[in-house]
Coordinates of all heavy atoms in Angstrom, one line a residue:
M9 N -10.8 -12.3 -16.4 CA -12.0 -12.9 -17.0 C -11.7 -13.2 -18.5 O -11.1 -12.4 -19.1 CB -13.2 -12.1 -16.8 CG -14.4 -12.7 -17.4 SD -16.0 -11.9 -17.0 CE -15.8 -10.2 -17.2
V10 N -12.1 -14.3 -19.0 CA -11.9 -14.7 -20.4 C -13.1 -14.5 -21.2 O -14.2 -14.8 -20.7 CB -11.4 -16.2 -20.5 CG1 -11.2 -16.6 -21.9 CG2 -10.2 -16.5 -19.6
D11 N -13.0 -13.9 -22.4 CA -14.1 -13.7 -23.2 C -14.4 -14.9 -24.1 O -13.7 -15.9 -24.0 CB -14.0 -12.4 -24.1 CG -12.9 -12.6 -25.2 OD1 -12.4 -13.7 -25.4 OD2 -12.5 -11.5 -25.8
A12 N -15.5 -14.9 -24.9 CA -15.9 -16.0 -25.7 C -14.8 -16.5 -26.7 O -14.8 -17.6 -27.1 CB -17.2 -15.7 -26.5
N13 N -13.9 -15.6 -27.1 CA -12.8 -16.0 -28.0 C -11.6 -16.4 -27.4 O -10.6 -16.6 -28.0 CB -12.5 -14.8 -29.0 CG -13.7 -14.4 -29.8 OD1 -14.5 -15.3 -30.3 ND2 -14.0 -13.1 -29.9
G14 N -11.6 -16.6 -26.0 CA -10.4 -17.0 -25.3 C -9.5 -15.9 -24.9 O -8.4 -16.1 -24.3
G15 N -9.8 -14.6 -25.3 CA -9.0 -13.5 -24.9 C -9.3 -13.0 -23.5 O -10.4 -13.3 -23.0
I16 N -8.4 -12.3 -22.9 CA -8.6 -11.8 -21.5 C -9.4 -10.5 -21.6 O -9.0 -9.6 -22.4 CB -7.3 -11.6 -20.8 CG1 -6.6 -12.9 -20.6 CG2 -7.5 -10.9 -19.5 CD1 -7.3 -13.9 -19.8
V17 N -10.4 -10.3 -20.8 CA -11.1 -9.1 -20.8 C -10.4 -8.2 -19.8 O -10.1 -8.5 -18.7 CB -12.6 -9.3 -20.2 CG1 -13.3 -8.0 -20.1 CG2 -13.3 -10.3 -21.2
P18 N -10.0 -6.9 -20.3 CA -9.2 -6.1 -19.4 C -9.9 -5.7 -18.1 O -11.2 -5.7 -18.1 CB -9.0 -4.8 -20.3 CG -9.4 -5.2 -21.7 CD -10.3 -6.4 -21.6
A19 N -9.1 -5.4 -17.1 CA -9.7 -5.0 -15.8 C -10.4 -3.7 -16.0 O -10.1 -2.9 -17.0 CB -8.6 -4.9 -14.8
A20 N -11.3 -3.3 -15.1 CA -12.0 -2.1 -15.2 C -11.0 -0.9 -15.2 O -9.9 -1.0 -14.6 CB -12.9 -1.9 -14.0
T21 N -11.2 0.1 -16.0 CA -10.3 1.2 -16.2 C -10.0 1.9 -14.9 O -9.1 2.7 -14.8 CB -10.8 2.2 -17.3 OG1 -12.1 2.6 -16.9 CG2 -10.8 1.5 -18.6
T22 N -10.9 1.8 -13.9 CA -10.7 2.5 -12.6 C -9.7 1.7 -11.7 O -9.2 2.3 -10.8 CB -12.0 2.6 -11.9 OG1 -12.6 1.4 -11.7 CG2 -13.0 3.5 -12.7
A23 N -9.4 0.5 -12.0 CA -8.5 -0.3 -11.2 C -7.1 0.2 -11.5 O -6.6 0.3 -12.6 CB -8.6 -1.8 -11.6
K24 N -6.4 0.6 -10.4 CA -5.0 1.1 -10.6 C -4.0 -0.1 -10.3 O -4.2 -0.9 -9.4 CB -4.7 2.2 -9.6 CG -5.5 3.4 -9.9 CD -5.2 4.5 -8.9 CE -6.0 5.8 -9.2 NZ -5.7 6.9 -8.3
P25 N -2.9 -0.1 -11.1 CA -2.0 -1.2 -10.8 C -1.3 -1.0 -9.5 O -1.1 0.1 -9.0 CB -1.0 -1.1 -12.0 CG -1.2 0.3 -12.5 CD -2.6 0.7 -12.2
D26 N -0.8 -2.1 -8.9 CA 0.0 -2.0 -7.7 C 1.4 -1.6 -8.0 O 2.1 -1.0 -7.1 CB 0.0 -3.4 -7.0 CG -1.4 -3.7 -6.5 OD1 -1.9 -3.1 -5.5 OD2 -2.1 -4.6 -7.1
A27 N 1.9 -1.8 -9.2 CA 3.2 -1.3 -9.6 C 3.2 -1.2 -11.1 O 2.4 -1.8 -11.8 CB 4.3 -2.3 -9.2
F28 N 4.0 -0.3 -11.6 CA 4.1 0.0 -13.0 C 5.5 0.1 -13.5 O 6.4 0.7 -12.8 CB 3.4 1.4 -13.3 CG 3.3 1.7 -14.8 CD1 2.4 1.2 -15.6 CD2 4.3 2.6 -15.3 CE1 2.4 1.5 -17.0 CE2 4.2 3.0 -16.7 CZ 3.3 2.4 -17.5
F29 N 5.9 -0.5 -14.6 CA 7.2 -0.6 -15.1 C 7.2 -0.3 -16.6 O 6.2 -0.5 -17.3 CB 7.8 -2.0 -14.9 CG 7.7 -2.5 -13.5 CD1 6.6 -3.2 -13.1 CD2 8.8 -2.3 -12.6 CE1 6.5 -3.7 -11.8 CE2 8.7 -2.8 -11.3 CZ 7.6 -3.5 -10.9
V30 N 8.4 0.1 -17.1 CA 8.6 0.4 -18.5 C 9.8 -0.3 -19.0 O 10.8 -0.2 -18.3 CB 8.6 1.9 -18.8 CG1 8.9 2.2 -20.3 CG2 7.3 2.6 -18.4
S31 N 9.8 -0.9 -20.1 CA 11.0 -1.6 -20.7 C 11.1 -1.2 -22.2 O 10.1 -0.9 -22.9 CB 10.8 -3.1 -20.6 OG 11.9 -3.7 -21.2
R32 N 12.3 -1.2 -22.6 CA 12.6 -0.9 -24.0 C 12.6 -2.2 -24.8 O 12.7 -2.2 -26.0 CB 14.0 -0.3 -24.2 CG 14.0 1.2 -23.8 CD 15.1 1.9 -24.5 NE 15.1 3.3 -24.5 CZ 14.3 4.1 -25.2 NH1 13.4 3.6 -25.9 NH2 14.5 5.4 -25.1
K33 N 12.4 -3.4 -24.1 CA 12.4 -4.7 -24.8 C 11.0 -4.9 -25.5 O 10.0 -4.4 -25.0 CB 12.7 -5.8 -23.8 CG 14.1 -5.7 -23.3 CD 14.4 -6.9 -22.3 CE 15.8 -6.8 -21.8 NZ 16.1 -7.8 -20.8
P34 N 11.0 -5.6 -26.6 CA 9.7 -6.0 -27.2 C 8.9 -6.8 -26.3 O 9.3 -7.6 -25.5 CB 10.1 -6.8 -28.4 CG 11.6 -6.6 -28.6 CD 12.2 -6.2 -27.3
M35 N 7.6 -6.6 -26.4 CA 6.6 -7.2 -25.5 C 6.7 -8.7 -25.4 O 6.7 -9.3 -24.4 CB 5.2 -6.8 -25.9 CG 4.1 -7.4 -25.0 SD 2.4 -7.0 -25.6 CE 2.4 -7.8 -27.1
E36 N 6.8 -9.4 -26.6 CA 6.8 -10.8 -26.6 C 8.0 -11.4 -25.9 O 7.9 -12.3 -25.1 CB 6.8 -11.3 -28.1 CG 5.5 -11.0 -28.8 CD 5.4 -9.6 -29.3 OE1 6.4 -8.9 -29.3 OE2 4.3 -9.2 -29.8
G37 N 9.2 -10.9 -26.1 CA 10.4 -11.4 -25.5 C 10.4 -11.1 -24.0 O 10.8 -11.9 -23.2
L38 N 9.8 -9.9 -23.6 CA 9.7 -9.6 -22.2 C 8.8 -10.5 -21.5 O 9.0 -11.0 -20.4 CB 9.2 -8.1 -22.1 CG 9.1 -7.5 -20.7 CD1 10.5 -7.6 -19.9 CD2 8.6 -6.1 -20.7
A39 N 7.6 -10.8 -22.1 CA 6.6 -11.7 -21.5 C 7.2 -13.1 -21.3 O 7.1 -13.8 -20.3 CB 5.4 -11.8 -22.4
E40 N 8.0 -13.6 -22.3 CA 8.6 -14.9 -22.2 C 9.6 -15.0 -21.1 O 9.7 -16.0 -20.4 CB 9.3 -15.3 -23.6 CG 8.3 -15.7 -24.7 CD 7.5 -16.9 -24.4 OE1 8.0 -17.8 -23.6 OE2 6.4 -17.0 -24.9
C41 N 10.4 -13.9 -21.0 CA 11.4 -13.8 -19.9 C 10.7 -13.9 -18.5 O 11.2 -14.7 -17.7 CB 12.2 -12.6 -20.0 SG 13.5 -12.3 -18.7
I42 N 9.7 -13.1 -18.3 CA 9.0 -13.1 -17.0 C 8.4 -14.4 -16.7 O 8.5 -15.0 -15.6 CB 8.0 -11.9 -17.0 CG1 8.7 -10.6 -17.1 CG2 7.2 -12.0 -15.7 CD1 7.8 -9.4 -17.4
A43 N 7.7 -15.0 -17.7 CA 7.0 -16.3 -17.5 C 8.0 -17.4 -17.2 O 7.8 -18.2 -16.3 CB 6.1 -16.6 -18.7
W44 N 9.1 -17.4 -17.9 CA 10.1 -18.4 -17.7 C 10.7 -18.2 -16.2 O 10.8 -19.2 -15.5 CB 11.3 -18.3 -18.7 CG 12.3 -19.3 -18.4 CD1 12.3 -20.6 -19.0 CD2 13.5 -19.3 -17.6 NE1 13.4 -21.3 -18.5 CE2 14.1 -20.5 -17.7 CE3 14.0 -18.3 -16.7 CZ2 15.3 -20.8 -16.9 CZ3 15.1 -18.5 -16.0 CH2 15.8 -19.8 -16.1
G45 N 10.9 -17.0 -15.8 CA 11.4 -16.8 -14.5 C 10.5 -17.2 -13.4 O 10.9 -17.8 -12.4
W46 N 9.2 -16.9 -13.6 CA 8.2 -17.3 -12.6 C 8.1 -18.8 -12.6 O 7.9 -19.4 -11.5 CB 6.9 -16.7 -12.9 CG 6.8 -15.2 -12.6 CD1 7.8 -14.4 -12.2 CD2 5.6 -14.4 -12.6 NE1 7.4 -13.1 -12.0 CE2 6.0 -13.1 -12.2 CE3 4.3 -14.6 -13.0 CZ2 5.2 -12.0 -12.2 CZ3 3.4 -13.5 -12.9 CH2 3.8 -12.2 -12.5
R47 N 8.2 -19.5 -13.7 CA 8.1 -21.0 -13.7 C 9.3 -21.5 -13.0 O 9.2 -22.5 -12.3 CB 8.0 -21.5 -15.2 CG 6.7 -21.2 -15.8 CD 6.6 -21.8 -17.2 NE 5.5 -21.2 -17.9 CZ 5.6 -20.6 -19.1 NH1 6.7 -20.4 -19.7 NH2 4.5 -20.1 -19.6
H48 N 10.5 -21.0 -13.3 CA 11.7 -21.5 -12.7 C 11.7 -21.3 -11.2 O 12.1 -22.2 -10.5 CB 12.9 -20.7 -13.3 CG 14.2 -21.1 -12.8 ND1 14.8 -22.3 -13.1 CD2 15.1 -20.5 -11.9 CE1 16.0 -22.5 -12.5 NE2 16.2 -21.4 -11.8
Q49 N 11.1 -20.2 -10.7 CA 11.0 -20.0 -9.2 C 10.1 -21.1 -8.6 O 10.3 -21.5 -7.5 CB 10.3 -18.7 -8.9 CG 11.2 -17.5 -8.9 CD 10.5 -16.3 -8.6 OE1 9.2 -16.2 -8.7 NE2 11.2 -15.3 -8.2
A50 N 9.2 -21.6 -9.4 CA 8.2 -22.6 -8.8 C 8.7 -24.0 -9.2 O 7.9 -24.9 -9.3 CB 6.8 -22.3 -9.4
E51 N 10.0 -24.2 -9.5 CA 10.6 -25.5 -9.8 C 9.9 -26.1 -11.0 O 9.5 -27.3 -11.0 CB 10.5 -26.4 -8.6 CG 11.3 -25.8 -7.4 CD 11.2 -26.7 -6.2 OE1 10.5 -27.7 -6.2 OE2 11.9 -26.3 -5.2
N52 N 9.7 -25.3 -12.0 CA 9.2 -25.7 -13.3 C 7.8 -26.2 -13.3 O 7.4 -27.0 -14.2 CB 10.2 -26.8 -13.9 CG 11.5 -26.3 -14.2 OD1 11.7 -25.2 -14.7 ND2 12.5 -27.0 -13.9
S53 N 7.0 -25.8 -12.3 CA 5.6 -26.1 -12.4 C 5.0 -25.0 -13.4 O 5.6 -24.0 -13.7 CB 5.0 -26.0 -11.0 OG 4.9 -24.6 -10.6
P54 N 3.8 -25.3 -13.8 CA 3.1 -24.3 -14.7 C 2.7 -23.1 -13.9 O 1.5 -22.8 -13.6 CB 1.9 -25.1 -15.3 CG 1.6 -26.1 -14.2 CD 2.9 -26.4 -13.6
A55 N 3.7 -22.3 -13.4 CA 3.4 -21.2 -12.5 C 3.1 -19.9 -13.2 O 2.9 -18.9 -12.5 CB 4.7 -21.0 -11.6
A56 N 3.1 -19.9 -14.5 CA 2.8 -18.6 -15.2 C 2.2 -18.9 -16.5 O 2.8 -19.8 -17.3 CB 4.0 -17.7 -15.3
A57 N 1.1 -18.3 -16.9 CA 0.5 -18.5 -18.2 C 0.5 -17.2 -18.9 O 0.1 -16.1 -18.3 CB -0.9 -19.0 -18.0
I58 N 0.9 -17.2 -20.2 CA 0.9 -16.0 -21.0 C -0.4 -16.1 -21.8 O -0.6 -17.1 -22.5 CB 2.1 -15.9 -21.9 CG1 3.4 -15.8 -21.1 CG2 2.0 -14.7 -22.9 CD1 4.6 -15.9 -22.0
L59 N -1.2 -15.0 -21.8 CA -2.4 -15.0 -22.5 C -2.5 -13.7 -23.3 O -2.1 -12.7 -22.9 CB -3.6 -15.0 -21.5 CG -3.6 -16.2 -20.6 CD1 -4.6 -16.0 -19.4 CD2 -4.0 -17.5 -21.3
A60 N -3.2 -13.8 -24.5 CA -3.4 -12.6 -25.3 C -4.5 -11.8 -24.7 O -5.5 -12.3 -24.1 CB -3.8 -13.0 -26.7
S61 N -4.4 -10.5 -24.8 CA -5.5 -9.6 -24.3 C -6.1 -8.9 -25.5 O -5.6 -9.0 -26.6 CB -5.0 -8.6 -23.3 OG -4.0 -7.7 -23.9
N62 N -7.3 -8.4 -25.3 CA -8.1 -7.8 -26.4 C -7.5 -6.5 -26.9 O -8.0 -6.0 -27.9 CB -9.5 -7.5 -25.9 CG -10.2 -8.9 -25.7 OD1 -9.9 -9.9 -26.2 ND2 -11.2 -8.8 -24.8
D63 N -6.5 -5.9 -26.2 CA -6.0 -4.6 -26.7 C -4.6 -4.8 -27.3 O -3.7 -3.9 -27.2 CB -5.9 -3.7 -25.5 CG -5.0 -4.2 -24.3 OD1 -4.5 -5.3 -24.4 OD2 -4.9 -3.5 -23.3
N64 N -4.3 -5.9 -28.0 CA -3.1 -6.2 -28.6 C -1.9 -6.4 -27.7 O -0.8 -6.4 -28.1 CB -2.7 -5.1 -29.7 CG -3.7 -5.1 -30.8 OD1 -4.1 -6.2 -31.3 ND2 -4.0 -3.9 -31.3
G65 N -2.2 -6.5 -26.4 CA -1.2 -6.7 -25.4 C -1.2 -8.2 -25.0 O -1.7 -9.1 -25.7
Q66 N -0.5 -8.4 -23.9 CA -0.5 -9.8 -23.3 C -0.6 -9.7 -21.8 O -0.4 -8.6 -21.2 CB 0.9 -10.5 -23.6 CG 1.1 -10.8 -25.1 CD 2.4 -11.5 -25.3 OE1 3.4 -11.3 -24.7 NE2 2.4 -12.5 -26.3
Q67 N -1.1 -10.8 -21.2 CA -1.2 -10.8 -19.8 C -0.5 -12.1 -19.3 O -0.4 -13.1 -20.0 CB -2.7 -10.9 -19.3 CG -3.4 -9.6 -19.6 CD -4.7 -9.6 -18.8 OE1 -5.0 -10.5 -18.0 NE2 -5.5 -8.6 -19.1
I68 N 0.1 -12.0 -18.1 CA 0.7 -13.1 -17.5 C 0.0 -13.3 -16.1 O -0.1 -12.4 -15.4 CB 2.2 -12.9 -17.3 CG1 2.9 -12.6 -18.6 CG2 2.8 -14.1 -16.6 CD1 4.4 -12.3 -18.4
L69 N -0.5 -14.5 -15.9 CA -1.1 -14.8 -14.6 C -0.2 -15.7 -13.9 O 0.3 -16.7 -14.4 CB -2.5 -15.5 -14.9 CG -3.5 -14.7 -15.6 CD1 -4.7 -15.6 -15.9 CD2 -3.9 -13.5 -14.9
S70 N 0.0 -15.4 -12.6 CA 0.9 -16.3 -11.8 C 0.1 -17.5 -11.3 O -1.2 -17.5 -11.4 CB 1.4 -15.5 -10.6 OG 0.3 -15.2 -9.7
E71 N 0.8 -18.5 -10.8 CA 0.1 -19.7 -10.3 C -0.9 -19.3 -9.3 O -0.7 -18.4 -8.4 CB 1.2 -20.6 -9.6 CG 0.6 -21.9 -9.1 CD 1.8 -22.8 -8.6 OE1 2.7 -22.2 -8.0 OE2 1.6 -24.0 -8.7
G72 N -2.1 -19.8 -9.4 CA -3.2 -19.5 -8.5 C -3.8 -18.1 -8.7 O -4.6 -17.6 -8.0
Q73 N -3.3 -17.4 -9.8 CA -3.8 -16.1 -10.2 C -3.6 -15.1 -9.0 O -4.4 -14.2 -8.8 CB -5.2 -16.1 -10.7 CG -5.3 -17.0 -11.9 CD -6.7 -16.9 -12.5 OE1 -7.5 -16.2 -12.2 NE2 -6.9 -17.8 -13.5
R74 N -2.5 -15.2 -8.3 CA -2.2 -14.3 -7.2 C -1.8 -12.9 -7.8 O -2.0 -11.9 -7.1 CB -1.1 -14.8 -6.3 CG -1.6 -16.0 -5.5 CD -0.5 -16.5 -4.6 NE 0.6 -17.1 -5.4 CZ 1.2 -18.2 -5.2 NH1 0.8 -18.9 -4.2 NH2 2.1 -18.6 -6.0
E75 N -1.1 -12.9 -8.9 CA -0.7 -11.7 -9.6 C -1.0 -11.7 -11.0 O -1.1 -12.8 -11.6 CB 0.8 -11.4 -9.5 CG 1.3 -11.1 -8.1 CD 1.7 -12.4 -7.3 OE1 2.0 -13.4 -7.9 OE2 1.6 -12.4 -6.1
R76 N -1.3 -10.6 -11.6 CA -1.6 -10.5 -13.0 C -0.7 -9.3 -13.6 O -0.7 -8.2 -13.0 CB -3.0 -10.2 -13.3 CG -3.4 -10.1 -14.8 CD -4.8 -9.8 -15.1 NE -5.0 -8.4 -15.0 CZ -5.9 -7.8 -14.2 NH1 -6.7 -8.5 -13.4 NH2 -6.0 -6.5 -14.2
L77 N 0.0 -9.6 -14.6 CA 0.7 -8.6 -15.3 C 0.0 -8.2 -16.6 O -0.5 -9.2 -17.3 CB 2.2 -9.0 -15.7 CG 3.2 -9.2 -14.6 CD1 4.5 -9.7 -15.2 CD2 3.4 -7.9 -13.9
E78 N -0.1 -7.0 -17.0 CA -0.6 -6.6 -18.3 C 0.5 -5.9 -19.0 O 1.1 -4.9 -18.5 CB -1.8 -5.6 -18.1 CG -3.0 -6.3 -17.5 CD -4.2 -5.3 -17.4 OE1 -4.0 -4.1 -17.7 OE2 -5.2 -5.8 -17.0
L79 N 0.9 -6.4 -20.2 CA 1.9 -5.9 -21.0 C 1.3 -5.2 -22.2 O 0.4 -5.8 -22.9 CB 2.9 -6.9 -21.4 CG 3.7 -7.6 -20.3 CD1 3.0 -8.8 -19.7 CD2 5.1 -8.0 -20.9
R80 N 1.7 -4.0 -22.5 CA 1.1 -3.3 -23.6 C 2.3 -2.7 -24.5 O 3.1 -2.0 -23.9 CB 0.2 -2.1 -23.2 CG -1.1 -2.6 -22.5 CD -2.0 -1.5 -22.3 NE -3.2 -2.0 -21.7 CZ -3.3 -2.2 -20.4 NH1 -2.3 -2.0 -19.6 NH2 -4.5 -2.7 -19.9
P81 N 2.2 -3.0 -25.8 CA 3.3 -2.5 -26.6 C 3.1 -1.0 -26.9 O 2.0 -0.6 -27.1 CB 3.2 -3.3 -27.9 CG 1.7 -3.7 -28.0 CD 1.3 -3.8 -26.5
G82 N 4.2 -0.3 -27.0 CA 4.2 1.1 -27.4 C 5.1 1.2 -28.6 O 5.7 0.3 -29.0
P83 N 5.2 2.4 -29.2 CA 6.1 2.6 -30.3 C 7.5 2.4 -30.0 O 8.3 2.0 -30.8 CB 5.8 4.1 -30.7 CG 5.0 4.7 -29.6 CD 4.4 3.6 -28.8
V84 N 7.9 2.7 -28.7 CA 9.3 2.5 -28.3 C 9.4 1.6 -27.1 O 10.3 0.8 -27.0 CB 9.9 3.9 -27.9 CG1 11.3 3.7 -27.4 CG2 9.9 4.8 -29.2
N85 N 8.5 1.7 -26.2 CA 8.6 1.0 -24.9 C 7.4 0.0 -24.7 O 6.4 0.1 -25.4 CB 8.5 2.0 -23.7 CG 9.6 3.0 -23.7 OD1 10.7 2.6 -24.0 ND2 9.3 4.2 -23.3
T86 N 7.7 -1.0 -23.9 CA 6.6 -1.9 -23.4 C 6.2 -1.5 -22.0 O 7.1 -1.3 -21.1 CB 7.1 -3.4 -23.4 OG1 7.4 -3.7 -24.7 CG2 6.0 -4.3 -22.9
E87 N 4.9 -1.2 -21.8 CA 4.4 -0.8 -20.5 C 3.9 -2.1 -19.7 O 3.3 -2.9 -20.3 CB 3.3 0.2 -20.6 CG 3.7 1.5 -21.2 CD 2.6 2.4 -21.4 OE1 1.4 2.0 -21.2 OE2 2.8 3.6 -21.8
V88 N 4.3 -2.2 -18.5 CA 3.9 -3.4 -17.7 C 3.2 -2.9 -16.4 O 3.8 -2.2 -15.6 CB 5.2 -4.2 -17.3 CG1 4.8 -5.5 -16.5 CG2 6.0 -4.6 -18.5
S89 N 2.0 -3.4 -16.2 CA 1.2 -3.1 -15.0 C 1.1 -4.3 -14.2 O 0.7 -5.4 -14.8 CB -0.1 -2.5 -15.4 OG 0.0 -1.3 -16.1
L90 N 1.4 -4.3 -12.9 CA 1.3 -5.4 -12.0 C 0.1 -5.2 -11.1 O -0.1 -4.2 -10.5 CB 2.5 -5.5 -11.2 CG 2.5 -6.6 -10.1 CD1 2.4 -8.0 -10.6 CD2 3.7 -6.4 -9.2
Y91 N -0.8 -6.2 -11.1 CA -2.0 -6.2 -10.2 C -1.9 -7.3 -9.2 O -1.7 -8.5 -9.6 CB -3.3 -6.3 -11.0 CG -3.5 -5.2 -12.0 CD1 -3.0 -5.2 -13.3 CD2 -4.2 -4.1 -11.6 CE1 -3.2 -4.2 -14.2 CE2 -4.4 -3.0 -12.5 CZ -3.9 -3.1 -13.8 OH -4.1 -2.0 -14.6
R92 N -2.0 -7.0 -8.0 CA -2.0 -8.1 -7.0 C -3.5 -8.5 -6.8 O -4.3 -7.7 -6.4 CB -1.5 -7.5 -5.7 CG -1.3 -8.6 -4.6 CD -0.5 -8.0 -3.5 NE -0.1 -9.1 -2.6 CZ 0.7 -9.0 -1.6 NH1 1.4 -7.9 -1.5 NH2 1.0 -10.1 -0.9
M93 N -3.7 -9.8 -7.0 CA -5.1 -10.3 -7.0 C -5.5 -11.0 -5.7 O -6.6 -11.2 -5.4 CB -5.3 -11.3 -8.2 CG -4.8 -10.8 -9.5 SD -5.7 -9.4 -10.1 CE -7.2 -10.1 -10.4
A94 N -4.5 -11.3 -4.9 CA -4.7 -12.0 -3.6 C -3.7 -11.5 -2.6 O -2.6 -11.2 -2.9 CB -4.6 -13.5 -3.7
S95 N -4.1 -11.4 -1.4 CA -3.2 -10.9 -0.3 C -2.5 -12.1 0.3 O -2.9 -13.2 0.2 CB -3.9 -10.0 0.7 OG -4.9 -10.8 1.3
G96 N -1.4 -11.8 1.0 CA -0.8 -12.8 1.9 C 0.6 -13.1 1.5 O 1.5 -12.9 2.3
D97 N 0.9 -13.6 0.3 CA 2.2 -14.1 0.0 C 3.2 -13.0 -0.4 O 3.6 -12.8 -1.5 CB 2.1 -15.1 -1.2 CG 3.4 -15.8 -1.5 OD1 4.3 -15.7 -0.7 OD2 3.4 -16.5 -2.5
D98 N 3.6 -12.2 0.6 CA 4.5 -11.1 0.4 C 5.9 -11.5 -0.1 O 6.5 -10.9 -1.0 CB 4.7 -10.2 1.6 CG 3.4 -9.5 2.0 OD1 2.5 -9.3 1.1 OD2 3.2 -9.2 3.2
E99 N 6.4 -12.6 0.4 CA 7.7 -13.1 0.0 C 7.6 -13.6 -1.5 O 8.5 -13.2 -2.3 CB 8.1 -14.3 0.9 CG 9.5 -14.8 0.5 CD 9.9 -15.9 1.4 OE1 9.4 -16.1 2.5 OE2 10.8 -16.7 1.0
G100 N 6.6 -14.3 -1.8 CA 6.4 -14.7 -3.2 C 6.3 -13.6 -4.2 O 6.8 -13.5 -5.3
M101 N 5.5 -12.5 -3.7 CA 5.3 -11.3 -4.6 C 6.7 -10.6 -4.8 O 7.0 -10.2 -5.9 CB 4.3 -10.4 -3.9 CG 4.2 -9.1 -4.5 SD 3.0 -9.2 -5.9 CE 2.5 -7.5 -6.0
A102 N 7.5 -10.5 -3.7 CA 8.8 -9.9 -3.9 C 9.7 -10.6 -4.8 O 10.4 -10.0 -5.6 CB 9.4 -9.8 -2.5
K103 N 9.6 -12.0 -4.8 CA 10.4 -12.8 -5.7 C 9.9 -12.6 -7.2 O 10.8 -12.5 -8.1 CB 10.3 -14.2 -5.3 CG 11.1 -14.6 -4.1 CD 11.0 -16.1 -3.8 CE 11.7 -16.4 -2.5 NZ 11.5 -17.8 -2.1
R104 N 8.6 -12.5 -7.4 CA 8.1 -12.3 -8.7 C 8.5 -10.9 -9.3 O 8.8 -10.8 -10.4 CB 6.6 -12.6 -8.8 CG 6.4 -14.1 -8.7 CD 4.9 -14.5 -8.8 NE 4.2 -14.3 -7.6 CZ 4.2 -15.1 -6.6 NH1 4.9 -16.2 -6.6 NH2 3.5 -14.9 -5.5
I105 N 8.4 -9.9 -8.4 CA 8.8 -8.6 -8.8 C 10.3 -8.6 -9.2 O 10.7 -7.9 -10.1 CB 8.5 -7.5 -7.7 CG1 7.0 -7.3 -7.7 CG2 9.2 -6.2 -8.0 CD1 6.5 -6.4 -6.6
A106 N 11.2 -9.3 -8.4 CA 12.6 -9.4 -8.7 C 12.8 -10.0 -10.1 O 13.7 -9.5 -10.8 CB 13.3 -10.2 -7.6
V107 N 12.1 -11.0 -10.4 CA 12.2 -11.6 -11.8 C 11.8 -10.6 -12.8 O 12.5 -10.4 -13.8 CB 11.3 -12.9 -11.9 CG1 11.2 -13.3 -13.3 CG2 11.9 -14.0 -11.0
L108 N 10.7 -9.9 -12.6 CA 10.2 -8.9 -13.5 C 11.3 -7.8 -13.8 O 11.6 -7.5 -14.9 CB 8.9 -8.3 -13.0 CG 8.1 -7.4 -13.9 CD1 6.7 -7.3 -13.4 CD2 8.7 -6.0 -14.0
E109 N 11.8 -7.3 -12.7 CA 12.8 -6.3 -12.8 C 14.1 -6.8 -13.5 O 14.7 -6.0 -14.3 CB 13.2 -5.7 -11.4 CG 12.1 -4.9 -10.8 CD 12.3 -4.4 -9.4 OE1 13.1 -5.0 -8.7 OE2 11.7 -3.4 -9.0
A110 N 14.5 -8.0 -13.3 CA 15.6 -8.6 -14.0 C 15.4 -8.7 -15.5 O 16.3 -8.6 -16.3 CB 16.0 -10.0 -13.4
C111 N 14.2 -8.9 -15.9 CA 13.8 -9.0 -17.3 C 13.7 -7.7 -18.0 O 13.8 -7.6 -19.2 CB 12.5 -9.8 -17.5 SG 12.6 -11.6 -17.1
L112 N 13.4 -6.6 -17.3 CA 13.2 -5.3 -17.9 C 14.5 -4.9 -18.7 O 14.4 -4.3 -19.6 CB 12.9 -4.3 -16.8 CG 11.6 -4.4 -16.2 CD1 11.4 -3.4 -15.1 CD2 10.4 -4.4 -17.1

């Protein structure tokens, strides 16, 4: 959900991510790598959007908002939480996770 300032409203704190990753790469570069990979998989369609979140992090939404990544900067690591927003496309989800892992 987007707030009045165009930022993403974080998911409820009770929602658990479907997968969790940690990277030593800076958040901005990591987000660009993942978004580029997701776009490349979809043959350069606008398959991933990077959005600012209200907690100084970033979010990436996949095409059709099937998956959402939340990236949060830490003092040393970037934390990445993956939320599956729609069921069905297991093959596509596996490909997006492979891109994410390659960028870590």
Side-chain angles (χ1 to χ4, degrees):
M9 181 167 46
V10 178
D11 69 13
N13 297 320
I16 298 296
V17 177
T21 55
T22 57
K24 293 184 181 179
D26 293 289
F28 183 79
F29 305 88
V30 177
S31 176
R32 288 199 165 288
K33 294 182 180 177
M35 180 183 65
E36 292 81 8
L38 184 59
E40 287 294 333
C41 179
I42 296 166
W44 182 89
W46 286 7
R47 288 181 194 123
H48 182 70
Q49 278 183 340
E51 300 175 0
N52 296 317
S53 73
I58 300 174
L59 305 165
S61 63
N62 293 336
D63 59 359
N64 294 323
Q66 291 183 324
Q67 290 194 6
I68 302 174
L69 299 174
S70 67
E71 183 175 33
Q73 299 184 10
R74 291 180 294 225
E75 294 87 24
R76 183 182 81 235
L77 289 179
E78 292 183 357
L79 294 88
R80 290 191 182 80
V84 176
N85 298 322
T86 299
E87 297 177 350
V88 182
S89 299
L90 172 68
Y91 297 89
R92 188 170 188 165
M93 309 300 288
S95 61
D97 187 11
D98 292 336
E99 182 180 341
M101 174 83 158
K103 288 179 181 179
R104 286 183 281 281
I105 288 175
V107 167
L108 190 160
E109 289 175 337
C111 290
L112 293 176

